[in-house]
Amino acid sequence: VKNIPLLSTIIELRPKSVYELAKLTGMDVSNLNKVILFLEEMGAIRLRDSKVNGRSVKTPIVDYEKIEFKLVA
């Protein structure tokens, strides 16, 4: 639940890389990478690989307007 604003930031600001997303949110890149990988595993986001100036860049993408999570207690 605490990472829902992160999904909104990706949708609204469309960062070109995880590093840019870290700068926009004020999060540490290492911690953000862990959250991004978790959200990707859950299917909430996808990462697009590309090359920029010879560097590999991962762009986070949210393809959904609505995501439902089933919470089990």
Side-chain angles (χ1 to χ4, degrees):
V1 174
K2 67 180 178 179
N3 295 314
I4 299 297
L6 184 64
L7 295 173
S8 296
T9 301
I10 294 170
I11 291 170
E12 292 172 12
L13 301 179
R14 300 186 184 275
K16 296 188 184 344
S17 67
V18 173
Y19 178 75
E20 183 180 340
L21 180 60
K23 287 180 14 181
L24 291 169
T25 60
M27 292 181 70
D28 178 65
V29 176
S30 176
N31 292 335
L32 181 59
N33 270 323
K34 292 174 188 173
V35 173
I36 292 289
L37 291 175
F38 171 75
L39 292 173
E40 182 183 31
E41 185 178 306
M42 301 306 299
I45 68 167
R46 67 183 171 93
L47 293 173
R48 183 179 63 211
D49 290 322
S50 60
K51 293 274 186 183
V52 176
N53 296 329
R55 294 179 54 204
S56 179
V57 176
K58 294 185 181 205
T59 303
I61 300 170
V62 177
D63 290 325
Y64 310 101
E65 291 181 21
K66 181 178 178 180
I67 299 174
E68 292 183 17
F69 292 99
K70 183 176 181 180
L71 301 175
V72 179

